[in-house]
């Protein structure tokens, strides 16, 4: 059995649920699970992908609950997105006009921080993830990331943000013009970042201000204000 497996009690603690709830979800096929020796076992990577998919379908209340559970499962300091998003990883005028060129430019933004060391490897991994299921959302935002974290090419977790003013067909119901690249060093860190970022972008007024931002510094100020609002509610 993989060391990344959860049993029912471990997964219940990780998700801040009762063991009985986890068992019922597994029995109903609502959780990725398998039986080993008559006991439910849950693959860590599969659970992380299940959570990732849930975030894409959740409203603000559910996003807040999941973000809280992920924070409580960690002893780390509270996550602040601006600490992961250097000013030089923000490009408000992407010149890309295709899906492939967007991914390449976003990976180059990450490399420009000095925290991501291999743009081509990250870009290839993001394209592989996009071929499985596009990360474009209906609000015109795409949350680019590889299927699994690439810790070997990262000094630490880092975000990049690019805005393509004219928008690009990227798999969503509308043109996508806001692109975040999420580079994390492990699955749990990735989920924490994704949960936090999903809450931040879940507001049309914030996104309108982000799209009209005149500088990377203004982007930082907008995100700081949005995070403060989230934390106060």
């Amino acid at each position: 059995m993989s060391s990344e497996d959860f049993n029912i009690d471990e997964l219940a603690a990780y998700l801040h649920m009762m063991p009985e709830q986890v068992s019922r979800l597994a029995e109903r096929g609502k959780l990725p699970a398998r039986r080993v020796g008559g006991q439910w076992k849950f693959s860590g990577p599969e659970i992380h992908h299940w959570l990732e998919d849930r975030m894409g379908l959740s409203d603000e209340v559910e996003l807040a609950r999941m973000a809280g559970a992920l924070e409580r499962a960690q002893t780390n300091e509270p996550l602040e997105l601006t600490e992961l998003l250097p000013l030089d990883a923000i490009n408000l005028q992407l010149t890309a006009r295709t899906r492939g060129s967007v991914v390449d430019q976003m990976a180059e933004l990450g490399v420009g921080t000095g925290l991501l060391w291999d743009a081509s490897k990250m870009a290839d991994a993001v394209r592989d993830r996009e071929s499985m299921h596009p990360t474009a959302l209906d609000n015109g935002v795409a949350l680019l990331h590889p299927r699994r974290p690439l810790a070997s090419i990262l000094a630490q977790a880092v975000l990049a943000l690019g805005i393509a003013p004219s928008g690009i067909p990227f798999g969503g119901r509308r043109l996508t013009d806001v692109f975040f690249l999420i580079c994390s060093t492990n699955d749990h860190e990735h989920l924490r970042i994704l949960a936090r970022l999903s809450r931040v972008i879940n507001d049309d007024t914030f996104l309108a201000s982000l799209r009209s931002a005149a500088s990377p510094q203004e982007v930082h100020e907008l995100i700081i204000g949005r995070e403060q609002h989230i934390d106060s509610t």
Side-chain angles (χ1 to χ4, degrees):
M1 183 180 67
S2 168
S3 60
E4 295 184 340
D5 279 351
F6 294 99
N7 61 31
I8 282 182
D9 289 338
E10 291 166 342
L11 185 58
Y14 184 71
L15 298 177
H16 286 262
M17 300 171 68
M18 297 297 293
E20 294 80 7
Q21 292 175 292
V22 173
S23 181
R24 283 197 298 270
L25 287 172
E27 290 167 358
R28 295 171 183 172
K30 302 296 185 181
L31 271 175
R34 67 190 189 281
R35 283 195 179 274
V36 178
Q39 302 295 319
W40 286 114
K41 299 297 178 185
F42 308 87
S43 162
E46 290 180 358
I47 290 297
H48 291 139
H49 287 303
W50 174 79
L51 281 168
E52 184 178 285
D53 289 341
R54 284 279 300 276
M55 288 178 199
L57 299 172
S58 298
D59 59 16
E60 173 61 22
V61 173
E62 179 66 7
L63 284 171
R65 191 199 69 77
M66 284 192 283
L70 289 165
E71 290 293 339
R72 290 190 295 271
Q74 274 281 3
T75 58
N76 296 344
E77 292 297 316
L79 193 64
E80 294 184 6
L81 294 180
T82 50
E83 294 295 320
L84 302 176
L85 179 63
L87 292 174
D88 56 4
I90 300 172
N91 184 344
L92 303 179
Q93 295 290 328
L94 286 179
T95 59
R97 293 293 180 268
T98 66
R99 294 178 66 174
S101 58
V102 165
V103 172
D104 288 336
Q105 287 190 16
M106 293 302 297
E108 290 293 344
L109 268 181
V111 165
T113 67
L115 300 173
L116 170 64
W117 302 319
D118 192 328
S120 61
K121 187 171 183 178
M122 178 59 71
D124 287 344
V126 169
R127 272 190 282 269
D128 286 345
R129 171 65 177 82
E130 290 293 325
S131 68
M132 295 173 56
H133 185 70
T135 59
L137 304 172
D138 291 342
N139 58 6
V141 180
L143 304 179
L144 308 176
H145 58 270
R147 187 170 184 271
R148 295 297 303 276
L150 300 177
S152 63
I153 60 172
L154 287 166
Q156 64 182 59
V158 64
L159 290 173
L161 166 63
I163 296 180
S166 59
I168 295 168
F170 214 79
R173 294 183 181 178
R174 55 173 283 185
L175 294 179
T176 302
D177 59 348
V178 178
F179 299 88
F180 284 92
L181 174 64
I182 304 172
C183 305
S184 51
T185 60
N186 59 66
D187 286 319
H188 193 86
E189 180 179 66
H190 169 71
L191 288 174
R192 291 182 69 211
I193 296 171
L194 185 61
R196 182 74 163 178
L197 187 54
S198 296
R199 294 192 70 195
V200 164
I201 66 170
N202 193 31
D203 181 84
D204 290 339
T205 301
F206 167 78
L207 288 178
S209 297
L210 186 67
R211 289 180 168 106
S212 62
S215 68
Q217 184 59 51
E218 185 178 350
V219 168
H220 261 203
E221 292 169 1
L222 287 168
I223 294 175
I224 288 170
R226 177 70 177 138
E227 288 193 289
Q228 288 173 344
H229 173 75
I230 287 170
D231 292 337
S232 67
T233 57

